[in-house]
Amino acid sequence: MSKDNVLYLLREINYKKTLSEIFADNPILILKINEAEYTLENIYLIVKFYNDEK
């Protein structure tokens, strides 16, 4: 995954921490990730949610 020309490696073990850093400007999305409403398997929906909230 990339954001602002920075490439991030997402792994099952630390994806919540990494995604929280990437999407730090969207606290609602971070909450959904940390509460397991969105998981790594839903990366498409995570990115869609983030883009729709802009």
Side-chain angles (χ1 to χ4, degrees):
M1 165 169 222
S2 68
K3 181 181 178 188
D4 300 329
N5 293 323
V6 177
L7 186 61
Y8 296 89
L9 176 61
L10 297 176
R11 295 184 178 173
E12 186 71 33
I13 195 162
N14 70 345
Y15 79 93
K16 287 182 181 183
K17 180 179 182 280
T18 304
L19 290 176
S20 293
E21 292 170 6
I22 295 170
F23 301 119
D25 58 335
N26 190 322
I28 295 170
L29 180 56
I30 293 171
L31 184 65
K32 290 177 179 284
I33 292 167
N34 288 330
E35 291 183 353
E37 186 173 336
Y38 286 139
T39 63
L40 188 56
E41 290 79 27
N42 305 115
I43 192 65
Y44 170 78
L45 295 175
I46 292 169
V47 173
K48 183 177 179 340
F49 182 92
Y50 180 78
N51 289 331
D52 289 347
E53 292 293 311
K54 282 187 159 184

